Amino acid sequence: MKNWTSQLPNYDTESRRVHSFDRRTLLVATGAAVAGLATLPLIRRANRLTEPAFVARNQRYDGQLEQTIHDGLIATGFDPARIKGKSVLLKPNLVEPTRKCPQMTTHPAVVVAAGEVFRRWGANVIVGEGPGHMRDTEMALIESGMDEALRDAQLPFVDLNYGEVGWVANAGGTSPLPGFHFPKHVIEADLIVSMPKMKTHHWVGYTASMKNLYGVIPGIKYGWPKNVLHYAGIPQSIYDINASLPNTVAVVDGIVGMEGDGPILGSAKSMGVIVVGTNPTAVDATVGRMMGFDPARIEYLSLAANRLGPVDADCIEQRGERWESVAQPFEVIDDPRLQLLLDADLRAT
Amino acid sequence: MDVAKETIARLESAETFGYHADSPSATEPVALSAIALISADRHARAATLLHWLVEHQAEDGSLGVNAEQTTPCWPTSWAIVAWALARSTPVADLKFAKAGQRAVNWLTSVQGELIERTGATGHDTMIPGWPWVRGTHAWAEPTAIALLALRHAGLEDHPRTRQAAALLRDRLLPNGGMNYGNTIVFGQELRPHVQPTGLCMLALPAESLPNDRIHKALAYLAKRLPQTQATASLCYGLLGTAAWNRLPNDSQSWLEVACRRTLDRDPAPYKLALLSLAGRGTACPLLVASRTMVTP
């Protein structure tokens, strides 16, 4: 008998595969490693002492989102020339969409705007997601409004739950998982744009761009929910997935977020912000402060601190609006574990 | 539009049987396509798929998700159903019977990890069911498919069959329907979804006195199905209602819309097989036996 956080090293999805590469898996993984190394300087700068995060206020879903995302990427050091002719995968959060709860999932307008930004820079843009709680990806697209929006924008969608997979070694090493079966589209992407919703999360505190990348893990190999990751430790597997993906930037939909019993059942929280950055750790730490959390107490961020990016506010260069000017504490459920994650000083002000 | 004719014609001529139109063959769509072809008396094509399943069975009786990924093995249940339904047809083959028995032996040896109850979750975490991935907890859909497989294999009275049914009844949401398998977390009831609700209702055996949650699950499907456009959810939802003699009157017209959408966008064998099976209504071979009529 196990509890939720126990670590089982012998999942059948891992144990039999790790010693049995087929040629295609090997080629895909090797190609990804080469591609990752070649473009490593593009994004990953974890050895830098500081990283920027861009905050835009007064944002609306019918507003100038394309301009905001463009400005945010440029302000945080993204070089558009490096992505010309390359493949960009936009990864929204469509964990369990329902029309009744639009605050649960990334708004289609933000995804379409990001798609336009990267297309104007000459990239080949696709949108991909592996919904975590729904086997029927078509249903997730329809319920989230993404289906119609992507068709109108002529942005192709790839189902990350059922596609071909390749094996990538676990570069993080904090969970017992020796590696990950990532979808081919993820492995082959030159850049992954994590596009989460700003939400509370009743297991880990809050979710932003790093936790959102659970959605690149294919359900066909890990289940619905992706329970293998839960057994491996949620914070540890979040860190390991992020450490194992080569090039990731973040565009956070914080126009309407979710507070209370997130990530599924919480209430809408109007913030009017978009947060952008080339370092997801710095972005997520900034998002947490805006929500009234102390990011240093969030376990996956404490693992990522100074490995994948900075969490300390002094090491995050604020671009655009200062986060303090738009901060509004998010309500969390009445659970002592979560109360410990809050920044009492920030909430008092 | 004749949904059955359109879907079966596509399945007969398909070169691969995957989740999307151009994707490689995978165990679940192969098995579902075999079942659809058997039920349409396309025995020769069905036989090739049944043999594909035999060829991809591991020594221990399990089948992985596709030819390259030998784990996890949750689609083994679908292969059992396909081989079982071949028994009384012209494609009956001792090979299929033996493969089915080995698969059943494997299936009954697997169960989800039990979890100490903490109060954070509402479901009974101590009922053995089936996980998606060995070494993890039991969830709704793999348990429902396993239940369907055991019932088609003639093991209605097997202890694991009873456990599977108990788990599914426990995971039905108090206010109607089912999701991936969580009911209440931190005191809040989660939302239902059409596909797992339909699959659960398809798999559950008849009850002389259906409980309140069965009634509510059927009521949930009746309310949601008219608005459900997505093919797999619609098909599983309709199969669930058909299993309890509650098939909506408009089901064929909904299937026609879904079929057009599927053919237009993503004529995946997985969806075509589901459309074909759902289109057979109460005559669908996935239905194990007719249920007790549920009084509204």
Side-chain angles (χ1 to χ4, degrees):
Chain A
M1 192 158 38
K2 311 291 177 189
N3 61 41
W4 282 108
T5 55
S6 65
Q7 296 187 349
L8 273 178
N10 193 30
Y11 311 111
D12 65 1
T13 191
E14 308 302 341
S15 58
R16 285 201 241 171
R17 297 307 303 173
V18 68
H19 301 299
S20 57
F21 291 102
D22 53 60
R23 185 169 174 275
R24 180 186 300 190
T25 302
L26 199 59
L27 286 173
V28 170
T30 307
V34 171
L37 287 172
T39 52
L40 203 57
L42 175 64
I43 301 301
R44 177 145 298 168
R45 292 166 299 181
N47 56 339
R48 281 176 42 154
L49 292 177
T50 63
E51 291 286 354
F54 173 89
V55 177
R57 69 189 306 169
N58 297 328
Q59 297 297 301
R60 298 160 49 107
Y61 292 122
D62 60 355
Q64 304 298 312
L65 292 173
E66 191 180 328
Q67 188 67 49
T68 300
I69 293 167
H70 170 279
D71 292 351
L73 287 165
I74 296 298
T76 53
F78 188 85
D79 178 3
R82 308 289 287 273
I83 208 68
K84 188 172 183 181
K86 301 285 179 66
S87 63
V88 172
L89 172 70
L90 307 182
K91 163 59 184 79
N93 181 333
L94 304 180
V95 59
E96 189 188 326
T98 165
R99 294 172 211 267
K100 293 177 181 171
C101 189
Q103 68 269 25
M104 189 206 309
T105 50
T106 310
H107 196 287
V110 183
V111 178
V112 169
E116 277 307 308
V117 171
F118 287 104
R119 280 205 293 215
R120 284 180 193 278
W121 286 339
N124 301 311
V125 182
I126 57 173
V127 180
E129 163 69 318
H133 293 173
M134 292 172 78
R135 275 244 283 159
D136 187 350
T137 306
E138 184 184 15
M139 186 78 159
L141 287 170
I142 292 169
E143 287 288 310
S144 64
M146 203 65 78
D147 184 65
E148 190 178 352
L150 297 186
R151 280 181 186 278
D152 287 348
Q154 297 185 314
L155 279 168
F157 177 84
V158 292
D159 183 349
L160 300 182
N161 271 335
Y162 293 98
E164 285 182 77
V165 299
W167 175 261
V168 173
N170 180 352
T174 65
S175 78
L177 300 175
F180 296 99
H181 294 278
F182 286 138
K184 183 188 74 169
H185 286 104
V186 170
I187 292 172
E188 293 177 350
D190 294 299
L191 179 71
I192 296 168
V193 185
S194 183
M195 304 197 65
K197 198 74 165 168
M198 182 186 285
K199 297 191 289 188
T200 53
H201 192 293
H202 58 209
W203 294 115
V204 296
Y206 68 92
T207 169
S209 66
M210 292 179 69
K211 173 70 174 70
N212 179 46
L213 293 177
Y214 253 41
V216 305
I217 298 294
I220 196 170
K221 290 290 290 182
Y222 292 78
W224 290 265
K226 297 164 186 180
N227 206 202
V228 174
L229 304 179
H230 302 156
Y231 274 85
I234 297 175
Q236 291 78 14
S237 53
I238 293 171
Y239 169 76
D240 286 353
I241 290 166
N242 279 268
S244 304
L245 293 169
N247 292 304
T248 312
V249 301
V251 176
V252 182
D253 173 6
I255 295 176
V256 178
M258 176 183 277
E259 66 177 356
D261 193 5
I264 306 296
L265 295 174
S267 309
K269 173 83 168 176
S270 291
M271 293 289 283
V273 298
I274 293 284
V275 187
V276 180
T278 49
N279 185 285
T281 306
V283 167
D284 284 11
T286 303
V287 165
R289 291 190 171 92
M290 292 164 61
M291 298 169 73
F293 287 90
D294 177 352
R297 298 180 198 172
I298 303 296
E299 197 172 350
Y300 63 85
L301 281 172
S302 70
L303 290 169
N306 302 319
R307 292 170 169 177
L308 299 181
V311 170
D312 191 318
D314 292 339
C315 297
I316 301 173
E317 301 161 22
Q318 296 296 310
R319 306 279 164 81
E321 305 292 336
R322 291 199 61 79
W323 66 263
E324 295 92 333
S325 69
V326 292
Q328 292 184 50
F330 278 46
E331 295 293 328
V332 297
I333 59 170
D334 186 18
D335 185 293
R337 289 177 310 106
L338 295 178
Q339 299 295 329
L340 286 172
L341 306 178
L342 304 178
D343 185 327
D345 294 340
L346 192 149
R347 286 173 176 259
T349 59
Chain B
M1 166 185 259
D2 186 334
V3 173
K5 194 175 167 187
E6 289 282 346
T7 53
I8 290 298
R10 296 273 186 150
L11 286 175
E12 264 203 302
S13 60
E15 292 181 4
T16 60
F17 292 81
Y19 287 101
H20 295 289
D22 300 320
S23 57
S25 293
T27 305
E28 184 181 37
V30 166
L32 286 168
S33 299
I35 297 165
L37 289 162
I38 288 170
S39 69
D41 296 328
R42 302 299 204 276
H43 297 121
R45 192 71 180 111
T48 63
L49 300 183
L50 295 167
H51 282 292
W52 186 99
L53 295 171
V54 172
E55 286 161 15
H56 289 85
Q57 187 175 33
E59 281 292 312
D60 65 1
S62 68
L63 287 91
V65 292
N66 57 37
E68 291 185 354
Q69 303 293 328
T70 57
T71 63
C73 304
W74 55 267
T76 303
S77 298
W78 281 124
I80 293 171
V81 176
W83 287 322
L85 287 170
R87 275 183 307 219
S88 54
T89 73
V91 294
D93 187 321
L94 190 58
K95 253 188 200 174
F96 303 151
K98 285 182 177 174
Q101 186 55 55
R102 288 171 55 219
V104 167
N105 292 344
W106 177 86
L107 187 65
T108 52
S109 74
V110 172
Q111 72 170 49
E113 292 291 317
L114 307 179
I115 301 172
E116 288 174 38
R117 296 196 78 166
T118 63
T121 52
H123 69 267
D124 186 345
T125 52
M126 298 298 287
I127 303 175
W130 277 264
W132 291 106
V133 180
R134 212 165 185 170
T136 64
H137 194 44
W139 296 100
E141 287 180 73
T143 300
I145 308 167
L147 174 56
L148 204 58
L150 294 175
R151 297 187 65 214
H152 275 282
L155 299 173
E156 291 271 2
D157 297 323
H158 194 283
R160 298 301 311 277
T161 308
R162 290 197 293 271
Q163 286 171 348
L167 184 142
L168 293 183
R169 288 192 195 101
D170 178 68
R171 304 284 181 104
L172 285 167
L173 293 161
N175 284 309
M178 180 175 270
N179 56 32
Y180 55 91
N182 259 335
T183 54
I184 296 168
V185 178
F186 293 120
Q188 280 218 70
E189 185 175 329
L190 296 167
R191 293 189 184 88
H193 297 295
V194 173
Q195 175 165 323
T197 305
L199 182 53
C200 171
M201 299 312 290
L202 171 65
L204 274 172
E207 295 172 340
S208 55
L209 289 171
N211 70 22
D212 182 54
R213 291 193 185 189
I214 298 275
H215 280 291
K216 285 182 173 170
L218 291 168
Y220 164 75
L221 288 176
K223 185 178 175 186
R224 284 290 282 131
L225 282 172
Q227 309 141 34
T228 300
Q229 296 172 271
T231 300
S233 292
L234 176 66
C235 292
Y236 277 115
L238 291 176
L239 288 168
T241 59
W244 292 82
N245 295 317
R246 289 283 203 89
L247 198 61
N249 292 333
D250 294 331
S251 61
Q252 284 301 326
S253 62
W254 302 337
L255 285 169
E256 285 177 20
V257 173
C259 189
R260 282 196 193 92
R261 179 185 163 92
T262 297
L263 294 176
D264 181 47
R265 295 183 172 198
D266 180 21
Y270 172 66
K271 292 180 181 177
L272 296 172
L274 287 171
L275 284 163
S276 172
L277 292 166
R280 298 184 69 80
T282 53
C284 175
L286 286 174
L287 278 60
V288 182
S290 60
R291 307 300 208 272
T292 303
M293 180 68 80
V294 179
T295 309

